[in-house]
Amino acid sequence: MRILLLGSGGREHALAWKISQSPLCEQLFIAPGNAGTANCGTNLTISVTDFESIKTACIKEKIDLVIVGPEEPLVKGVTDFLISDPQLKHLDVIGPDKAGAQLEGSKAFAKAFMMRHNIPTAAYKEFTLENYQEGVEYIQKHPLPIVMKADGLAAGKGVVICENYLEAIAEFDLMIQRAKFGEASKRVVIEQYLDGIEISVFVLMDGKNYVILPEAKDYKRIGEGDTGPNTGGMGAISPVPFANEALMKKIEEKVIKPTVSGLIAEGLEYRGFIFFGFMIVNDEPYMIEYNCRMGDPETEVVIPRLKNDLVELLAAVSAQQLDKVKIETDPRTVCTVVAVSGGYPGDYSKGHEIKGLADINPEDSMLFHMGTTLQNGKAITNGGRVFCVTSYGKSVFDAVEISKEELQKVSFIGMEYRSDIGYEFE
Ligand code: AMP
Ligand code: GLY
């Protein structure tokens, strides 16, 4: 099979690493990829939202399967664009069409979907410029803290948790009246704050059937002990120690099954990954959000625990035969620790050479590139999150210790990382 993977993060490096191990993969292309994916296949200099160039590459390279990594092209309709093209009749795409991608592309759509299918989630109301004043009154009567969410995609910055009314109304004004996130915040979801512990669960769906992949927990805050601003994710672990059989069963019965049957009932033929973000409150799962893709850095711990051949699994999605697949999981604990550019998630510099990449001990660890690019054959920094080191271990503590030890062999100017990933489970 000839495969094109879209994206350029750690998620894509982990997927490319796994795909390139499959005997079913004849050739792998990654667009645009990073310095790490270049070791797993051929990088193509094409942006993930340049649909015409993606189509041209599919024709030129005789691609059989396109896997879409990030949400932006999915929400913009890359799947619809490719599968409706008469020149690409034989092509399969992993990633939902525009209608299915609304699960992530519109928080208001996702919340209404959860309501229609009795999926446990925080109470909410949505507002636009038309009922702005009603929104202000709603905020004034709402218990604190208040969660405010821009409806559309906002590069992971669209959720604001407000501790007082002044801040909440100012944020509401910024989003709706001053278009803080452009079109994305013309509609705002105001939501009840849930106090609990987060976990992410991943499902692969073929339009009819689904399988559940290993669960993960990511660490979003920049600072040790979960302090400071949110990031894309500073580390992740899998399995999650508190995700016992009883909790996973509740998650499947109360959320996954109604989501899958809801998608089918609404005629959304969803083929791709669904990321379920949960808040667990008193042992009960509440849905925080859907994403129409895998997580990053969650993929960098989920994929190393997946024993199945990923290409075989994705071929089963295309054939709508996931009911015939059994997911095999590595029982070891896996963790990843992310190295970031100093200043991230604020301003940071790029273009620094990364040294020591080849020194990682491949026995228990692997290094996935995130924001890197090749310049004259050398890997240089090209983003806030630069790379992560994933390790297998006997426990969370053990796996994190191994990752930190390996991480110290690699360096670039301004490199920082959190040394306390998995701290609650020590
Ligand atoms: P999202 O952009 O939807 O992933 O939300 C970002 C983060 O905001 C989540 O990972 C949670 O930590 C937090 N969050 C979102 N919704 C809620 C909520 N209703 N209650 C508490 N925290 C929330
Ligand atoms: N790590 C969170 C995400 O991928 O959305």
Side-chain angles (χ1 to χ4, degrees):
M1 201 181 287
R2 300 176 65 80
I3 301 173
L4 171 61
L5 171 63
L6 302 182
S8 61
R11 166 183 50 216
E12 286 74 25
H13 189 190
L15 291 171
W17 167 80
K18 183 78 175 163
I19 290 166
S20 66
Q21 293 167 34
S22 170
L24 298 174
C25 175
E26 187 189 323
Q27 200 164 0
L28 173 64
F29 298 90
I30 310 96
N34 59 37
T37 63
N39 298 322
C40 309
T42 308
N43 284 352
L44 303 175
T45 322
I46 299 173
S47 146
V48 295
T49 50
D50 181 356
F51 296 177
E52 281 296 340
S53 299
I54 293 169
K55 171 186 160 180
T56 307
C58 286
I59 296 169
K60 178 163 176 262
E61 304 298 350
K62 301 187 175 61
I63 298 297
D64 304 298
L65 182 71
V66 171
I67 304 158
V68 188
E71 64 279 13
E72 196 188 355
L74 291 168
V75 171
K76 288 187 171 157
V78 72
T79 302
D80 315 58
F81 177 87
L82 294 174
I83 60 175
S84 63
D85 195 293
Q87 285 177 277
L88 299 174
K89 276 216 167 77
H90 61 286
L91 184 77
D92 286 310
V93 179
I94 303 293
D97 61 10
K98 206 171 176 172
Q102 283 185 97
L103 281 185
E104 178 166 2
S106 166
K107 303 245 188 234
F109 173 86
K111 293 295 284 191
F113 179 88
M114 291 178 217
M115 291 294 146
R116 285 198 291 278
H117 302 289
N118 286 320
I119 294 167
T121 187
Y124 83 107
K125 235 176 138 83
E126 58 179 271
F127 298 95
T128 61
L129 196 56
E130 274 173 28
N131 58 351
Y132 178 82
Q133 200 47 42
E134 201 187 308
V136 173
E137 285 155 26
Y138 185 78
I139 291 170
Q140 283 161 338
K141 290 191 198 124
H142 198 287
L144 293 168
I146 302 175
V147 184
M148 211 156 293
K149 301 186 170 182
D151 178 51
L153 293 184
K157 298 192 176 79
V159 175
V160 184
I161 297 171
C162 305
E163 305 288 342
N164 63 61
Y165 294 111
L166 216 59
E167 185 194 347
I169 290 167
E171 191 59 44
F172 188 59
D173 173 73
L174 272 176
M175 285 199 188
I176 290 191
Q177 306 265 23
R178 289 163 217 270
K180 179 179 178 187
F181 299 109
E183 281 295 315
S185 67
K186 281 197 163 164
R187 186 177 296 275
V188 167
V189 165
I190 297 182
E191 192 172 279
Q192 169 200 13
Y193 178 80
L194 296 173
D195 193 5
I197 179 153
E198 283 181 69
I199 180 170
S200 308
V201 177
F202 306 93
V203 160
L204 183 60
M205 188 174 167
D206 69 7
K208 291 196 300 208
N209 313 288
Y210 71 92
V211 289
I212 303 177
L213 304 174
E215 80 285 356
K217 182 174 191 305
D218 89 335
Y219 292 79
K220 285 212 174 83
R221 302 292 195 92
I222 186 76
E224 314 258 310
D226 291 331
T227 53
N230 261 334
T231 69
M234 297 295 291
I237 60 165
S238 178
V240 180
F242 63 82
N244 54 30
E245 219 173 288
L247 178 64
M248 293 308 286
K249 193 164 167 46
K250 269 188 206 168
I251 284 177
E252 183 168 13
E253 294 300 323
K254 294 187 176 181
V255 180
I256 296 176
K257 282 187 180 168
T259 298
V260 166
S261 56
L263 287 168
I264 296 169
E266 296 192 16
L268 300 168
E269 204 180 276
Y270 196 107
R271 294 177 189 228
F273 295 100
I274 313 178
F275 168 145
F276 294 77
F278 289 100
M279 191 69 84
I280 309 298
V281 185
N282 299 327
D283 291 331
E284 287 297 322
Y286 289 85
M287 267 298 287
I288 295 257
E289 60 164 355
Y290 292 110
N291 293 315
C292 59
R293 52 171 175 86
M294 286 296 289
D296 193 352
E298 292 92 330
T299 307
E300 293 94 301
V301 293
V302 170
I303 289 296
R305 289 194 64 221
L306 182 72
K307 285 189 174 172
N308 303 60
D309 180 320
L310 182 57
V311 179
E312 209 175 287
L313 199 57
L314 298 178
V317 174
S318 305
Q320 293 203 296
Q321 292 193 336
L322 275 182
D323 52 332
K324 299 193 173 67
V325 168
K326 192 173 174 309
I327 295 297
E328 308 271 356
T329 308
D330 190 317
R332 285 177 292 176
T333 292
V334 177
C335 97
T336 198
V337 179
V338 177
V340 302
S341 306
Y344 173 80
D347 291 340
Y348 56 83
S349 57
K350 295 182 186 178
H352 304 296
E353 188 182 341
I354 309 163
K355 294 186 177 142
L357 286 167
D359 298 339
I360 297 289
N361 178 358
E363 208 167 298
D364 288 321
S365 301
M366 56 209 123
L367 184 145
F368 294 120
H369 290 242
M370 303 177 93
T372 73
T373 188
L374 280 175
Q375 205 174 69
N376 305 322
K378 284 184 179 157
I380 60 162
T381 67
N382 192 39
R385 295 188 298 166
V386 176
F387 67 85
C388 59
V389 177
T390 294
S391 303
Y392 294 95
K394 291 190 209 63
S395 63
V396 173
F397 180 78
D398 187 38
V400 173
E401 283 305 303
I402 298 171
S403 273
K404 285 189 327 200
E405 222 163 89
E406 293 301 316
L407 213 101
Q408 279 159 26
K409 298 176 180 169
V410 190
S411 64
F412 60 85
I413 292 169
M415 178 172 127
E416 287 174 4
Y417 60 91
R418 261 182 74 169
S419 66
D420 70 338
I421 299 304
Y423 69 96
E424 333 83 295
F425 305 115
E426 272 174 25

